[in-house]
Amino acid sequence: MTDYSSIDFAPLLAADPDEVVSHSYVRDVALPSGGTLALITLDNGRDHTRPNTLGPRTLDELNGVLDGLTGRAAHGEIQGVAITGKPFIFAAGADLSRVSTLATESNARLMAQLGHFVLGKLGAIGVPSFAFVNGLALGGAMEIALNSDYRTVDSSAAALAFPEVFLGIIPGWGGATIVPNLIGIEKAIEIIVSNPLKNNRMMKPQQARELGLFDEIFGPARFLEQSILWADRVLTGAEKVQRTHVPGKIERTVKWPAAIKIARETLQSRIGPAPRAPYVALDLLEAARDNDRAAGFRREDDALAELISGDQFPASIYAFDLVQKRAKRPAGAPDKELARKVQKVGVIGAGLMASQFALLFARKLRVPVVITDLDQARVDQGLAHIRTEIEKMHEKGRLSRDAANQVSALVTGTTDRQQFADCDWVIEAVFEELGVKQQVFGEFEPILREDAVLATNTSSLSVDEIGAHLARPERLVGFHFFNPVAVMPLIEVVKGARTDDETLATAMTTAKKLGKSAVITADRPGFVVNRLLAKVMGEAARAVDEGTPLPVVERALDPIGLPMGPFELIDLVGWKVAAHVQDTMVRAFPDRFYASDNLHALAEVESPLDKNKHGKVTDLSRAARKRVTVGKRASAPEEILHRVEDELAREISIMLDEGVVAAAEDIDLCLILGAGFPFQAGGVTPYLDRVGASLRARGADFHEPRIAGAH
């Protein structure tokens, strides 16, 4: 076993003197069998809004407590040791607000080693150890449980997870080594690699129990009492703990390497090569087949030291803070007290987008929603689609039968525009053409109350131009959803030149009630996401038009780590839509954006792309190749990448000068939430700083100092 006791942890403890310590309080509990259980309770003295966290000083205090209990065990004073948390919270892992203290490779390695040193003592006290996981347990908190001999979990625990890969690191206090040897390699890959990459998916307590992470589960009413009674039965031998998920010889020799190979291929196809943490986690899980804890812990030390001191961890923390903090306090938002109540919603249109709006408003606001269209047949088709989606949600357990019936009853359809007269909020979902939107609002405005909000879902047109002929343009606001509406978390709230504070406040409050993150943007072409995606798509189209093979262009941007290549993105949003966006941006900024005739030509082809079994683009289809005209100048992948990087840096600089958003952080937030820009890049501006594009294109970084590792 590695001798962590000889390591000097003083530099790490000195690095963060202001840590909020989660103290280790000990009390003796008399057991029914006559023995004594020493119960450690982790508690930082704060309320539920500030969960226990595990920093260097917390671990150091726990270390001293475990040493004391080891001495007591040697003298026969205690028969077992258990650890639990304050009410509703076991611990939330490391304190992410203090990550700057870990910036150096040396401190990162020390933090990994300190975790192994202290938590490893839970299995070496001399008496059995128990983890009573009474609530939220993330990352290092789960590893406290794993290092204990036995584990119980509260059935009402809010969330259980190993989120490390989501944040650019790996479970480094035993998780990557113990989990696969406890529950098997396939399930270990699921919870350590796959779940974090699915928007940080959490486990429910029952699921964690069924996976084999916990030995027993109890209800919240008597969780601690029942856990203590169960521990007593284990200590006396009355309870025999069976672990049926532990992998056997066949799994280790046959299934293990096969599962790793499949997982690695899946990662390559879904996220590309840019993110480091998922692949490092897979390497650790693969190596854990030796079932050698000492060797596994050393591998975790090396991995954490590399990842924490690299670029992707600080970038991920920056992105995480944007989503968790800045998104909840939007820059430029008026006082929420100015917001008007929304008690009835009108949706102009009954197509796919309009139906998604209607369902979302009804489900989240639980207010009446009325849809309309040119004729009753279209209205009925929209209503049928909405009711089908409600039934699907019920079948998947996302809506109870009563809730499904309620939401369904809230949505009605009509061709009688007078039914909109008492709406507080009316949003259009009609064709993306200025004249059409102006006509629709011109026809509806006289019907509506004077204080009703008008919202346009335009993706690139001017909100001011849409409202140019309105009698009260101050009540018009842009409210740009992203498709699919139920899934994508961003709404761009576009403030026109005449949009008043009451309208803007209503839009921001409504977005929050819909469960979305809203960013306020100025009324400029393309707003944020589409303006920058138009840069990416335009440069990709330019490269193909000049003669670069499409597969080369599709893979050229892999180093950024985008969730899909540019032509896969174009295929997703629709070729006609993409061509329309490019045309819109060229009309607005003819000297800076590129529109391709080939995009329009490909929009007329039924299936313009060939794809592999993973849905990744491999080339233009045979029919598409017949429709395009290309040159003979092929660009190298590096040239295309640099061109895209420099163009993005230049355009973002212009957008900030124009005041499209309040700060670079809002650009990053929009691209993370609206375009799937990767966490490990930190959003677009930190990435552009690190690769030198900011200096090349604008002469300065967006962030000072750079959001980068210490290596």
Side-chain angles (χ1 to χ4, degrees):
M1 197 74 176
T2 302
D3 183 13
Y4 289 110
S5 63
S6 62
I7 297 171
D8 180 12
F9 294 110
L12 180 64
L13 298 175
D16 188 11
D18 299 323
E19 174 191 339
V20 177
V21 175
S22 297
H23 296 288
S24 297
Y25 298 107
V26 183
R27 65 185 175 95
D28 286 353
V29 177
L31 298 172
S33 64
T36 299
L37 177 76
L39 179 64
I40 304 168
T41 300
L42 297 173
D43 194 339
N44 62 6
R46 309 293 179 89
D47 65 17
H48 67 280
T49 63
R50 184 65 165 82
N52 295 330
T53 49
L54 307 173
R57 292 173 177 268
T58 294
L59 290 174
D60 187 53
E61 182 175 318
L62 178 59
N63 181 57
V65 167
L66 292 176
D67 282 346
L69 293 175
T70 301
R72 292 185 65 197
H75 289 92
E77 297 175 17
I78 54 175
Q79 283 64 56
V81 171
I83 186 166
T84 191
K86 68 182 184 180
F88 312 113
I89 293 169
F90 191 62
D95 184 355
L96 296 181
S97 67
R98 317 296 298 179
V99 293
S100 60
T101 64
L102 302 178
T104 67
E105 195 273 347
S106 174
N107 277 350
R109 183 177 296 278
L110 284 174
M111 191 63 183
Q113 292 171 331
L114 181 60
H116 282 133
F117 176 50
V118 177
L119 302 192
K121 291 185 177 183
L122 286 164
I125 298 172
V127 293
S129 59
F130 300 82
F132 300 155
V133 178
N134 64 309
L136 176 81
L138 305 177
M142 290 292 288
E143 289 168 308
I144 289 176
L146 287 171
N147 278 276
S148 301
D149 296 320
Y150 303 98
R151 295 164 287 280
T152 67
V153 65
D154 187 321
S155 63
S156 68
L160 308 166
F162 296 92
E164 288 89 348
V165 164
F166 179 72
L167 298 171
I169 53 175
I170 50 92
W173 290 345
T177 301
I178 299 171
V179 170
N181 288 294
L182 180 67
I183 67 172
I185 186 61
E186 290 181 331
K187 289 181 284 188
I189 291 171
E190 177 188 347
I191 64 175
I192 287 177
V193 180
S194 300
N195 281 358
L197 296 178
K198 294 174 181 174
N199 288 322
N200 207 16
R201 179 179 290 178
M202 305 283 168
M203 292 178 286
K204 298 291 187 183
Q206 185 60 43
Q207 178 193 10
R209 166 76 168 90
E210 290 169 357
L211 285 168
L213 290 169
F214 293 91
D215 300 311
E216 192 54 88
I217 184 168
F218 299 115
R222 299 175 58 235
F223 171 73
L224 187 57
E225 179 184 351
Q226 287 184 301
S227 292
I228 291 169
L229 292 173
W230 179 82
D232 188 39
R233 293 197 300 274
V234 171
L235 290 171
T236 62
E239 182 86 32
K240 301 294 184 184
V241 176
Q242 302 292 326
R243 294 193 175 139
T244 58
H245 301 275
V246 175
K249 184 176 181 180
I250 293 177
E251 175 168 347
R252 292 186 187 281
T253 56
V254 180
K255 186 186 291 186
W256 205 294
I260 293 291
K261 181 176 183 291
I262 292 169
R264 191 168 276 119
E265 291 173 351
T266 302
L267 284 181
Q268 286 284 353
S269 68
R270 290 183 180 172
I271 65 172
R276 284 284 298 134
Y279 294 101
V280 173
L282 269 188
D283 290 342
L284 291 171
L285 292 173
E286 181 178 26
R289 185 169 60 148
D290 62 15
N291 200 17
D292 184 336
R293 284 201 181 188
F297 290 1
R298 288 193 296 271
R299 292 189 291 259
E300 290 176 359
D301 293 339
D302 292 340
L304 271 185
E306 174 207 336
L307 292 172
I308 289 177
S309 61
D311 289 335
Q312 294 189 359
F313 177 57
S316 295
I317 296 301
Y318 165 81
F320 183 78
D321 282 344
L322 289 182
V323 172
Q324 293 297 313
K325 297 176 183 177
R326 191 174 184 89
K328 294 173 182 175
R329 294 187 289 273
D335 187 337
K336 62 183 179 182
E337 297 300 321
L338 295 173
R340 305 183 183 108
K341 287 185 177 180
V342 175
Q343 297 175 311
K344 184 179 179 181
V345 171
V347 180
I348 304 173
L352 180 59
M353 203 71 172
S355 298
Q356 291 183 75
F357 293 168
L359 176 55
L360 183 68
F361 277 92
R363 185 165 60 91
K364 293 292 189 177
L365 302 189
R366 297 296 169 97
V367 299
V369 177
V370 57
I371 66 173
T372 191
D373 214 309
L374 295 174
D375 54 60
Q376 191 62 42
R378 297 187 196 197
V379 172
D380 291 342
Q381 188 174 7
L383 289 174
H385 174 76
I386 291 167
R387 302 220 155 95
T388 298
E389 291 302 307
I390 291 172
E391 281 306 306
K392 287 180 182 177
M393 295 174 77
H394 169 60
E395 290 167 6
K396 292 177 181 178
R398 296 173 59 195
L399 283 176
S400 68
R401 181 73 270 165
D402 286 347
N405 291 341
Q406 181 189 18
V407 173
S408 184
L410 286 169
V411 183
T412 58
T414 182
T415 56
D416 179 9
R417 294 177 180 176
Q418 291 299 322
Q419 297 297 315
F420 281 65
D422 58 344
C423 286
D424 308 291
W425 177 283
V426 175
I427 185 168
E428 61 80 16
V430 299
F431 190 67
E432 185 75 351
E433 197 170 279
L434 179 62
V436 174
K437 293 183 187 292
Q438 287 178 331
Q439 178 184 346
V440 162
F441 278 136
E443 292 171 354
F444 273 82
E445 187 184 29
I447 299 169
L448 305 175
R449 295 201 323 257
E450 287 192 358
D451 61 348
V453 171
L454 298 177
T456 171
N457 183 53
T458 182
S459 59
S460 57
L461 299 175
S462 167
V463 171
D464 288 333
E465 289 184 18
I466 290 172
H469 306 306
L470 291 176
R472 297 196 60 193
E474 68 275 8
R475 61 171 168 168
L476 176 66
V477 66
F479 207 69
H480 179 215
F481 286 92
F482 292 80
N483 205 17
V485 170
V487 176
M488 297 301 286
L490 178 69
I491 293 177
E492 290 176 325
V493 173
V494 186
K495 184 180 187 298
R498 289 176 287 187
T499 305
D500 62 26
D501 282 350
E502 289 80 4
T503 299
L504 190 60
T506 306
M508 297 302 287
T509 300
T510 300
K512 185 175 182 180
K513 289 180 178 178
L514 292 174
K516 304 296 185 182
S517 295
V519 175
I520 296 173
T521 85
D523 183 22
R524 299 290 293 160
F527 315 128
V528 174
V529 175
N530 280 344
R531 180 163 171 176
L532 294 176
L533 289 183
K535 270 292 178 189
V536 175
M537 293 188 292
E539 292 306 316
R542 188 200 304 270
V544 169
D545 289 355
E546 290 173 348
T548 309
L550 185 140
V552 174
V553 180
E554 188 70 359
R555 299 273 67 84
L557 306 186
D558 279 354
I560 302 177
L562 295 170
M564 58 187 70
F567 287 97
E568 187 181 350
L569 173 65
I570 290 171
D571 199 54
L572 177 69
V573 302
W575 292 83
K576 289 185 178 180
V577 173
H580 174 75
V581 170
Q582 295 302 131
D583 291 344
T584 300
M585 298 311 299
V586 169
R587 281 196 299 272
F589 308 115
D591 57 327
R592 300 205 308 274
F593 282 80
Y594 181 81
S596 168
D597 290 339
N598 281 332
L599 284 184
H600 289 278
L602 291 171
E604 303 304 319
V605 179
E606 185 174 347
S607 299
L609 298 175
D610 287 339
K611 298 179 181 180
N612 63 20
K613 64 180 181 179
H614 299 292
K616 293 297 180 183
V617 175
T618 56
D619 207 343
L620 287 170
S621 66
R622 181 178 299 177
R625 285 195 291 273
K626 293 178 181 178
R627 298 293 298 268
V628 299
T629 303
V630 299
K632 296 182 178 180
R633 181 189 175 275
S635 299
E638 297 79 10
E639 181 184 353
I640 298 168
L641 176 63
H642 280 181
R643 191 188 301 169
V644 169
E645 290 169 347
D646 290 358
E647 285 297 315
L648 284 173
R650 192 172 293 116
E651 196 63 29
I652 290 169
S653 188
I654 294 169
M655 292 166 70
L656 293 174
D657 289 343
E658 291 177 348
V660 174
V661 290
E665 287 80 358
D666 296 309
I667 299 276
D668 295 324
L669 187 59
C670 282
L671 289 187
I672 290 166
L673 297 179
F677 211 93
F679 258 54
Q680 94 277 343
V684 64
T685 60
Y687 169 82
L688 295 172
D689 287 351
R690 288 194 303 275
V691 299
S694 304
L695 283 175
R696 292 195 302 267
R698 65 191 294 265
D701 286 340
F702 290 103
H703 300 274
E704 182 59 46
R706 285 185 179 180
I707 298 165
H711 60 164

